[in-house]
Amino acid sequence: ATEQQRLARGAAAITRDGAGALGISAGGLNFSRESWRCWSAICNEPLPSGKLRAVVEVCDQVAAEVASWQHRAAAAEELLPCVSYSAARAISAGHAPELLVSLRFAQIHLRSCGTRSKAGYCLVTVQVAVQVVADHASGADVTASPRAELTRCRSSSTHTCAEELVSVHQ
C-alpha cells in the first residue's frame, strides 16, 4: 500500500475510535470547518511557500481550538495529539488529499530558506502528528509515540529533526 493509503487507513481508525484513541478526553474537541480549510490549503496551495504558510495556520488553528476548550494555552505535548486528531478527521473527510507529498514540498522549501522559525516548528509538529495517524494503520505503538518523538525533536534542531522524522518513517 502507498504511504497515502496507509495514512487514510490510520485516519479512518482514529476517526472510528474517536479522540480517546490519542488520549484526548471525549467531547473535548470539536474542530471547526476552519481547521479543515487549513488542512485543505496545505494540499491545494500551488507554491511550497503557501503550503508552509498553511502548515503554520493548521498549528495556530488547532492551538486556538484547544485553548478555547481548555481555557488556557496548550503545551506542546498536549497540542501534538490534538493536531493528529484534527489531521485524522480532515483526511477521513477528504480535505487533505496528497498530504504527504505536500508536506515534503513544504519541507524542501523550508530547507532551501535555511531559517529556523515558527514555520519549522509547525512543520515538525504536523509531520509527527501525521506520522502518528499513519502509525494507527500499521498497529505501531502510538501510546508513547507522540510525546517521545516531540521530546526528541525539541532537543535537536528543527531542520535536523524534520529530516530525521521523514527518513525514519518512510
Side-chain angles (χ1 to χ4, degrees):
T2 68
E3 290 178 73
Q4 191 69 33
Q5 290 169 330
R6 182 171 165 252
L7 184 60
R9 283 196 315 273
I14 290 171
T15 302
R16 180 193 66 231
D17 296 342
L22 295 167
I24 303 168
S25 61
L29 294 174
N30 187 15
F31 292 107
S32 68
R33 292 189 190 276
E34 184 62 22
S35 63
W36 285 1
R37 185 202 60 74
C38 294
W39 286 105
S40 291
I42 293 172
C43 299
N44 295 330
E45 284 289 332
L47 298 175
S49 59
K51 292 178 183 305
L52 190 57
R53 192 171 35 258
V55 166
V56 173
E57 289 177 12
V58 163
C59 287
D60 288 346
Q61 183 63 36
V62 171
E65 291 175 6
V66 171
S68 172
W69 165 55
Q70 292 183 339
H71 305 293
R72 64 176 173 77
E77 56 273 359
E78 296 170 317
L79 187 60
L80 183 60
C82 297
V83 174
S84 293
Y85 185 59
S86 176
R89 291 194 53 201
I91 293 163
S92 292
H95 294 287
E98 303 302 322
L99 180 59
L100 296 172
V101 171
S102 295
L103 291 175
R104 285 191 188 109
F105 282 138
Q107 180 181 2
I108 291 166
H109 176 71
L110 182 66
R111 189 179 305 148
S112 70
C113 294
T115 61
R116 289 184 171 73
S117 62
K118 179 179 178 177
Y121 172 82
C122 289
L123 180 60
V124 170
T125 300
V126 169
Q127 286 175 319
V128 173
V130 168
Q131 186 57 50
V132 168
V133 173
D135 285 349
H136 269 76
S138 64
D141 178 18
V142 294
T143 55
S145 180
R147 288 195 174 117
E149 291 204 39
L150 182 63
T151 301
R152 183 172 53 83
C153 289
R154 288 159 107 190
S155 65
S156 63
S157 74
T158 302
H159 177 74
T160 304
C161 184
E163 289 175 345
E164 186 178 324
L165 287 171
V166 170
S167 66
V168 166
H169 296 300
Q170 286 183 341

